[in-house]
Amino acid sequence: MGFSTPRQNYREPIRDTGITEVYNYFHEKNELPQKYQVPADKTFVRAFSWFPNSQAPIDLKPYIEWTHQFLADPRDTIFVTHVLFSYLVVVPSTLWLLYSFTWFHALLHTVMLVLTIPPYILMMHCMCHKRSGNERGWWLDASVHYVLAPFYGQTWNTFYYHHTKHHHIEDNGPDDLSSTIWYDRDNAFHFLIYYARFYFLCGIELPIYFIKRGKYMWALKTFIGEYGAWAFFASWYLVVQNPWSVFFAWFMPVNLTRIGMMSGNWGQHAFVEPEDALNDYKTALTCVNVPYNATSFNDGYHTSHHLNPVRHWQDHPEHFISSLQKFKDERVVIFEKLDFFMVTMLLLTKQHRYLAKCLLSLPGASLDEKEKFLRSRLYRLTPAQVDKIRPKRKTE
């Protein structure tokens, strides 16, 4: 594995920050820049997503090599770092908050969670699709899915079974409990309904979904994980007898996590082509050249993720530039310098024009044409359109 330089005759895989330049060049010249016509080194290890290896302090190299003994893929060093940070900072802060509550600490802890919950969720997301730890690193996945989950507002099992065993099966279709096709995605009231349904009913609806399909153990694990976690949170009041400490330690993270997850999914699947609503190219958008991708493991490449859920997070930008013609032909919604939360907020505040200004898709089109294109994919499907895709979903 290359640490600071790619192998001879290969290049370093493209970073998200270089995507816009390549995208614009391709649509002007109808080919990739010469630099990117050389194959990427798929063994290249980018230890930290927010800066190139060549800029990493040399003192970090022994640590990076140490992490490799636990990893199935050496490119996941950053996951070990996040887990260690959680054990050394987030867990002690939570316990301190429970047993020695102050408002100042509660505020600092909440700010820390706002910053650390997104990378934790996206790290868990990657691990749901593919184990990160090898035989020696079994503790890595166990830590993220079970030990650390409540500290970041995740109820046990809910995310894994909802996301990998449900959402990626139903693919935002009619039977997807988190589907956006029933709502106008620029309607704030519709979003509140969408959010409330997931917040209060996912622990009931998801087990029922599994039971109907004969997946009884999945249903049981989901139900016990969801409501067992809520019971765990509430039981802490009996231990510390301070409702504020329990709220900020356990219930604040749940609220932050669920608003983040549902606003994210709303944005990811906000733009749906009504006549082709099960086409991943036309139901999942892509966000490039945005700081969010550096800290969320390229989560902005949501189209690429739905096309291949087990694709490694560092491979998404490479897949994107290798598929530019396909993305153009399919008219994929691609935004620059926006993340999914920003897309959701702009939609709910009716900022269609601003979204059109950030749209990389339809190069050469006017702002009016781009705005019309975006609006055409924003509205709930009609019963007739739903009926057209429901049989297709069942036969796949």
Side-chain angles (χ1 to χ4, degrees):
M1 290 282 180
F3 171 67
S4 59
T5 56
R7 293 175 298 166
Q8 187 176 4
N9 299 323
Y10 290 87
R11 60 173 172 81
E12 179 179 344
I14 190 171
R15 296 168 59 82
D16 178 64
T17 52
I19 286 291
T20 301
E21 180 182 355
V22 174
Y23 182 91
N24 291 334
Y25 185 95
F26 177 84
H27 285 286
E28 180 181 345
K29 306 289 188 179
N30 205 33
E31 65 177 7
L32 293 175
Q34 187 173 2
K35 173 183 176 181
Y36 293 102
Q37 294 178 21
V38 177
D41 184 356
K42 294 184 178 180
T43 69
F44 184 85
V45 175
R46 182 172 289 138
F48 298 96
S49 56
W50 53 85
F51 55 72
N53 286 352
S54 58
Q55 296 177 13
I58 192 65
D59 292 343
L60 288 178
K61 188 172 183 180
Y63 164 74
I64 293 169
E65 292 176 342
W66 173 79
T67 67
H68 291 174
Q69 66 183 302
F70 306 114
L71 294 167
D73 190 319
R75 294 178 292 177
D76 290 338
T77 284
I78 189 63
F79 292 171
V80 180
T81 307
H82 273 298
V83 169
L84 293 178
F85 172 84
S86 299
Y87 278 126
L88 293 173
V89 180
V90 177
V91 172
S93 177
T94 302
L95 297 177
W96 183 15
L97 194 61
L98 284 164
Y99 287 101
S100 184
F101 178 83
T102 66
W103 285 102
F104 181 67
H105 183 193
L107 176 62
L108 288 181
H109 187 78
T110 301
V111 171
M112 178 179 67
L113 289 175
V114 169
L115 297 174
T116 58
I117 281 176
Y120 166 80
I121 292 175
L122 275 308
M123 174 174 62
M124 174 183 274
H125 172 242
C126 293
M127 291 183 175
C128 281
H129 289 287
K130 182 187 293 187
R131 286 183 59 87
S132 289
N134 56 22
E135 289 185 3
R136 295 187 64 186
W138 61 269
W139 57 271
L140 192 63
D141 296 82
S143 293
V144 171
H145 289 299
Y146 294 103
V147 181
L148 297 175
F151 293 90
Y152 286 102
Q154 285 285 0
T155 53
W156 295 303
N157 293 329
T158 308
F159 184 88
Y160 173 78
Y161 284 100
H162 180 277
H163 186 75
T164 62
K165 304 300 185 183
H166 172 65
H167 174 64
H168 273 278
I169 301 301
E170 298 300 340
D171 219 15
N172 202 54
D175 295 324
D176 187 341
L177 298 174
S178 57
S179 177
T180 59
I181 64 173
W182 309 107
Y183 309 93
D184 296 337
R185 274 81 70 188
D186 59 354
N187 185 312
F189 180 67
H190 282 198
F191 176 75
L192 288 176
I193 297 173
Y194 177 80
Y195 174 67
R197 178 185 178 186
F198 177 84
Y199 194 108
F200 295 109
L201 298 179
C202 68
I204 297 172
E205 289 188 323
L206 190 57
I208 291 174
Y209 168 89
F210 288 140
I211 289 170
K212 288 180 177 178
R213 286 154 181 80
K215 304 295 184 180
Y216 303 113
M217 188 56 66
W218 292 359
L220 182 63
K221 288 182 177 180
T222 302
F223 185 84
I224 292 176
E226 172 74 7
Y227 293 107
W230 284 106
F232 171 78
F233 299 150
S235 69
W236 274 88
Y237 178 74
L238 301 176
V239 178
V240 299
Q241 306 251 320
N242 185 333
W244 286 118
S245 64
V246 174
F247 174 79
F248 280 97
W250 303 123
F251 292 100
M252 178 62 81
V254 172
N255 290 320
L256 292 174
T257 291
R258 297 209 164 180
I259 189 65
M261 290 194 302
M262 298 318 290
S263 62
N265 195 74
W266 185 271
Q268 289 163 350
H269 298 283
F271 300 94
V272 178
E273 169 54 53
E275 300 303 323
D276 201 3
L278 290 180
N279 182 339
D280 288 328
Y281 290 103
K282 298 181 180 181
T283 64
L285 62 83
T286 297
C287 294
V288 302
N289 193 18
V290 59
Y292 171 75
N293 282 336
T295 59
S296 68
F297 316 113
N298 287 324
D299 185 52
Y301 293 84
H302 203 63
T303 313
S304 172
H305 173 61
H306 266 267
L307 291 169
N308 181 1
V310 298
R311 197 190 316 276
H312 191 274
W313 59 274
Q314 287 199 25
D315 293 335
H316 287 306
E318 277 298 323
H319 170 264
F320 179 76
I321 66 169
S322 69
S323 308
L324 285 175
Q325 187 60 52
K326 180 67 172 177
F327 274 58
K328 179 180 179 181
D329 294 342
E330 295 283 356
R331 304 180 84 196
V332 176
V333 175
I334 307 166
F335 288 114
E336 178 189 23
K337 297 182 179 178
L338 294 179
D339 59 41
F340 301 127
F341 182 79
M342 296 163 68
V343 169
T344 294
M345 293 303 104
L346 289 168
L347 284 173
L348 299 184
T349 54
K350 307 287 188 179
Q351 301 297 310
H352 304 93
R353 195 70 169 182
Y354 187 85
L355 285 163
K357 291 178 181 178
C358 297
L359 185 69
L360 282 182
S361 314
L362 309 184
S366 67
L367 273 180
D368 288 339
E369 291 170 329
K370 289 186 174 185
E371 184 176 344
K372 182 179 178 180
F373 166 71
L374 291 177
R375 286 179 180 272
S376 71
R377 295 190 174 189
L378 277 179
Y379 303 114
R380 74 190 97 168
L381 269 61
T382 65
Q385 290 168 334
V386 172
D387 288 341
K388 283 176 62 177
I389 63 174
R390 197 183 290 276
K392 186 187 297 185
R393 173 75 270 165
K394 290 180 179 179
T395 58
E396 288 182 351

